[in-house]
Amino acid sequence: VAAGDTLKAAAGDYVEAPSTVAAGSVGNPITVDGQGGARLLGQFLVLDPYFNVYGWTFRSNRVFMARAADNCILSNNVFDGVFRLTSQLLQFDTSDATQFGDAANDCLVISNVFEHGMGTYAIQVTGDRTVVRGNTFRDSDAIDWWRIWGRSNTFVGNICTNVFESGGNGNHPDLVQSFGLAGTGANHIQIASNIFMHSEGAAQLCM
């Protein structure tokens, strides 16, 4: 696999826990296309920059964006936590307590569905200048919709609907968290033209 290549997966279930092994480049990303019918049951680790992921269903396990995964696009995927306790749907690396710069930067998360999470969060963004646009977050149990950390990240035009509390999983739903790790918080974030509806219990903004 080399910069500019596109890999197309046939419909069906894949039980692997794959990770990327090559990087794309400016104007020549590597694309992995699930074509709307491929379902990955294991964790997916994006370790490299300029890597695009389209048309997959990620079922039960997270997609993890490592520190070097800059300039990636995740589009038209379904992130399905299947109500597995403490399911994390999309996570950007938080191993650096400052969360600034030394994380995946300049990514685009667009036109995806995040659903059936339980007890943790749908998406956690660190690093700088990532845009989360036009996604649907729905039908989840005591989940934080967004944890926005890092700098200059943008959440715009998303719909968040139907977070509820069944009890007993140890979390209460926050719509948005931006306080970060180790007191570092988030800087210069933009949250615009989003819709939140049907939120049960203690759903709140934690800024």
Side-chain angles (χ1 to χ4, degrees):
V1 179
D5 285 349
T6 296
L7 306 178
K8 294 187 177 182
D13 290 346
Y14 296 83
V15 298
E16 297 88 346
S19 59
T20 64
V21 295
S25 61
V26 177
N28 293 287
I30 295 172
T31 299
V32 178
D33 187 355
Q35 303 187 91
R39 300 198 311 173
L40 181 62
L41 307 184
Q43 175 178 251
F44 184 33
L45 303 180
V46 182
L47 306 177
D48 299 287
Y50 294 100
F51 203 94
N52 297 341
V53 182
Y54 302 144
W56 284 81
T57 293
F58 299 104
R59 186 170 173 82
S60 181
N61 274 290
R62 67 180 177 172
V63 174
F64 183 81
M65 307 295 290
R67 291 187 183 190
D70 299 331
N71 299 103
C72 294
I73 299 174
L74 288 78
S75 178
N76 291 287
N77 303 290
V78 176
F79 297 79
D80 184 356
V82 299
F83 294 115
R84 183 174 60 85
L85 185 61
T86 67
S87 54
Q88 303 160 340
L89 304 184
L90 176 58
Q91 180 184 6
F92 284 57
D93 189 2
T94 56
S95 57
D96 177 6
T98 66
Q99 314 146 63
F100 299 148
D102 193 10
N105 302 310
D106 300 297
C107 294
L108 175 63
V109 181
I110 187 168
S111 301
N112 302 282
V113 173
F114 296 81
E115 63 185 6
H116 307 150
M118 185 175 187
T120 50
Y121 54 82
I123 181 171
Q124 177 175 276
V125 172
T126 59
D128 301 340
R129 299 175 303 277
T130 283
V131 175
V132 178
R133 177 188 295 271
N135 302 280
T136 299
F137 299 81
R138 67 187 184 195
D139 302 335
S140 292
D141 185 358
I143 199 171
D144 302 334
W145 285 132
W146 308 339
R147 294 182 180 177
I148 312 173
W149 303 342
R151 299 175 296 201
S152 301
N153 295 306
T154 298
F155 280 61
V156 61
N158 302 284
I159 297 174
C160 300
T161 182
N162 194 29
V163 61
F164 53 89
E165 291 186 89
S166 65
N169 64 39
N171 195 44
H172 64 82
D174 293 331
L175 303 179
V176 178
Q177 290 184 358
S178 64
F179 50 77
L181 291 174
T184 56
N187 293 339
H188 307 296
I189 61 174
Q190 179 182 6
I191 302 173
S193 302
N194 301 286
I195 297 173
F196 295 90
M197 55 187 178
H198 304 307
S199 298
E200 284 187 5
Q204 59 189 329
L205 300 177
C206 293
M207 311 298 282

